[in-house]
């Protein structure tokens, strides 16, 4: 009977403050950073796993947006960006989710950390545009970052100043779900 079906039949509840009690086990993205850090994006924040060679296990830390400063707790993707020999930036696609039982996603801007999750930064320019981020792409030959969204394709080389790229006239829909800059062709593929 569809009326009594539940995704998590035992103990599942929705709370306007916390969401579902099992949201931290609903995984949308996994990203390995080198051989020692594993990032897991869930419906309830970010789980960071660090390999502890002394104990021969992974030590997990759960991060929530209220405590760490990323946009919201619905994490659907990660992208790594190497800025220089000492700084590796991790981008997260963070969506807002309303916990009233509707399970509708309301989008959100990407966020990033330069210190392995100690602090997170929301891209304010894209927050003000009220976008839904679908994908993040970085360039291995420059500091450019591309954000594919419902409002088009945005690019930045410093994560502060952003420009919306003009799409070719033969693309009839403004939303861009994925884009990659192909240096071999010196062109962006959408």
């Amino acid at each position: 009977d569809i009326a009594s079906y539940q995704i998590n039949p035992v103990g599942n509840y929705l709370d306007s403050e916390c969401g579902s009690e099992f949201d931290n086990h609903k995984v949308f993205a996994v990203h390995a950073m080198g051989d020692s850090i594993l990032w897991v994006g869930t419906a309830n924040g970010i789980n960071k796993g660090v390999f502890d060679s002394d104990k021969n296990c992974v030590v997990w830390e759960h991060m929530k947006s209220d405590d760490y400063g990323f946009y919201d707790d619905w994490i659907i993707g990660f992208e790594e960006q190497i800025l220089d020999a000492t700084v590796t930036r991790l981008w997260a696609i963070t969506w807002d989710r309303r916990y009233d039982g509707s399970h509708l996603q309301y989008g959100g801007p990407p966020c990033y950390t330069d210190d392995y999750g100690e602090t997170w930064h929301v891209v304010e320019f894209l927050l003000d545009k009220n976008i839904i981020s679908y994908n993040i792409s970085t360039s291995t030959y420059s500091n450019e970052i591309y954000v594919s969204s419902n409002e088009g394709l945005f690019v930045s080389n410093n994560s502060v100043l952003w420009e919306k790229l003009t799409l070719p006239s033969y693309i009839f829909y403004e939303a861009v779900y994925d884009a990659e800059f192909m240096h071999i062709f010196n062109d962006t593929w959408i």
Side-chain angles (χ1 to χ4, degrees), residues 61-70 117-121:
E61 176 184 3
H62 179 68
M63 300 178 187
K64 303 257 310 165
S65 61
D66 291 341
D67 300 325
Y68 287 87
F70 46 92
E118 293 297 317
T119 56
W120 288 85
H121 309 278

Side-chain angles (χ1 to χ4, degrees), residues 23-143:
D23 279 353
N24 194 44
H25 299 282
K26 296 173 185 169
V27 174
F28 300 117
V30 177
H31 179 78
M33 213 172 186
D35 292 334
S36 62
I37 301 176
L38 190 64
W39 298 90
V40 180
T42 74
N44 193 26
I46 298 171
N47 294 316
K48 176 185 171 186
V50 178
F51 181 71
D52 184 335
S53 58
D54 294 335
K55 297 178 182 177
N56 199 26
C57 69
V58 177
V59 177
W60 291 97
E61 176 184 3
H62 179 68
M63 300 178 187
K64 303 257 310 165
S65 61
D66 291 341
D67 300 325
Y68 287 87
F70 46 92
Y71 177 69
D72 209 332
D73 289 323
W74 192 269
I75 312 300
I76 66 159
F78 295 105
E79 179 71 18
E80 196 172 321
Q81 182 183 23
I82 299 172
L83 297 178
D84 60 40
T86 62
V87 178
T88 300
R89 176 171 287 170
L90 182 71
W91 288 87
I93 301 173
T94 58
W95 282 5
D96 183 10
R97 190 180 115 188
R98 194 169 61 174
Y99 290 121
D100 64 0
S102 67
H103 297 288
L104 296 174
Q105 297 91 13
Y106 286 92
C111 302
Y112 65 90
T113 180
D114 292 336
D115 55 12
Y116 300 97
E118 293 297 317
T119 56
W120 288 85
H121 309 278
V122 176
V123 177
E124 296 294 333
F125 176 85
L126 298 177
L127 175 64
D128 294 342
K129 296 283 183 194
N130 199 29
I131 69 164
I132 300 172
S133 303
Y134 296 126
N135 194 34
I136 298 173
S137 303
T138 59
S139 172
T140 55
Y141 299 99
S142 71
N143 284 341

Side-chain angles (χ1 to χ4, degrees), residues 124-188:
E124 296 294 333
F125 176 85
L126 298 177
L127 175 64
D128 294 342
K129 296 283 183 194
N130 199 29
I131 69 164
I132 300 172
S133 303
Y134 296 126
N135 194 34
I136 298 173
S137 303
T138 59
S139 172
T140 55
Y141 299 99
S142 71
N143 284 341
E144 290 178 337
I145 180 87
Y146 296 87
V147 173
S148 305
S149 78
N150 62 319
E151 296 292 330
L153 182 62
F154 293 86
V155 64
S156 175
N157 63 8
N158 63 9
S159 72
V160 175
L161 300 174
W162 290 82
E163 175 186 358
K164 182 177 178 181
L165 297 181
T166 303
L167 300 177
S169 61
Y170 56 83
I171 297 179
F172 300 110
Y173 191 62
E174 187 172 27
V176 175
Y177 295 100
D178 193 9
E180 297 287 336
F181 185 79
M182 305 294 286
H183 286 278
I184 193 168
F185 301 110
N186 196 31
D187 208 354
T188 304

